[in-house]
Amino acid sequence: MDSVVELEYLDGGIVLVTLTNGKVNALSGAVVARIGEIAAELTAAPPKVVVVTGGPKIFAAGADISEFGGPDEAAGITERIHVALDALAAIPRFVIAEVSGYALGGGCELALACDYRIASERAVFGQPEVLLGTIPGGGGTQRLARAVGASRAKEISITGRQVKAEEALRIGLADEIVPAEELRDRTMALATEVARGATIAQALAKAAIDRGLSMSLADGLMVERELFVESFRTEDSQIGVRSFLENGPGKAEFLGR
Ligand code: COA
């Protein structure tokens, strides 16, 4: 067991990453470094699907405020969290954030670096950095704006207010919400469904969407064209097409290659 972040390889190709850093899961330098190491490990030898979670009451309370100092320390903090969360976002597999409680500051940014957020009805999101006189430095200004739109991202970041689960769902910050007692089952049901899918095609779909988001529509469509062709180099595409023609939709048993 790791002291600040636990990494578990579950059956069926599901990897569970659990923040276990004390009472509030502050994203200390050690936690951020470990997230970066785990992302590198899961990129070098990818499982089928990744779940990132925290504690039952607190997913993660943000950067470790006790490590803050002046601008020199700030430069290191923001660079290190950007590098680690970019690495997490770039894992070539579907990365699900399971958010049971508070996801504030860097905790919200960690959830936003994942591909999809399943939240408990008790979850609370927010970018409260402004209440400390600073701003989001872990990707929040960029990823929150892409998730909820510029004006809502500005209002959330400028007031520092807490966004409860229902609202998070409505504005696209959370992708689904479920009762707290059903959260783990729902997360695992989705992870299991994804793990049974055509893994390489899933990775290509993720890559096409992510790469396209930083491009013009025309350039993004060229990326799609390239990766669509790439998907036909997989065994799964042969299996999937043949299964459809012989047995109808949704019955293919993929090999993940
Ligand atoms: N970094 C460092 N320490 C933190 C922390 C953080 N981001 N968030 C909370 N803590 C500490 C508190 O100072 C407190 O320390 P203490 O026990 O020595 O007094 C302890 O964790 C528990 O926090 P507390 O506020 O008493 O717990 P709570 O359950 O009432 O509330 C939160 C939990 C997460 C809602 C609340 O702690 C909070 O809002 N934290 C700050 C979030 C934030 O501003 N993040 C952005 C950072 S830039």
Side-chain angles (χ1 to χ4, degrees), residues 216-226:
S216 68
L217 176 62
D219 287 347
L221 288 171
M222 291 312 291
V223 170
E224 179 182 276
R225 207 185 275 194
E226 180 197 327

Side-chain angles (χ1 to χ4, degrees), residues 14-37:
I14 301 170
V15 161
L16 182 62
V17 179
T18 309
L19 270 56
T20 53
N21 185 29
K23 265 198 293 196
V24 299
N25 271 331
L27 300 181
S28 63
V31 171
V32 170
R34 188 69 189 122
I35 290 171
E37 283 171 14

Side-chain angles (χ1 to χ4, degrees), residues 85-86 88-90 95 108-117 138 143 206:
L85 295 189
D86 283 355
L88 180 76
V95 179
C108 189
E109 292 166 315
L110 170 63
L112 283 163
C114 298
D115 296 309
Y116 191 79
R117 285 155 292 286
R143 291 197 175 96
K206 169 171 170 168

Side-chain angles (χ1 to χ4, degrees), residues 61-66 68 105 127-135 157 159-160:
D64 189 335
I65 298 167
S66 68
F68 283 7
Q127 297 288 166
E129 291 86 349
V130 75
L131 303 177
L132 302 171
T134 180
I135 72 167
S157 306
T159 62

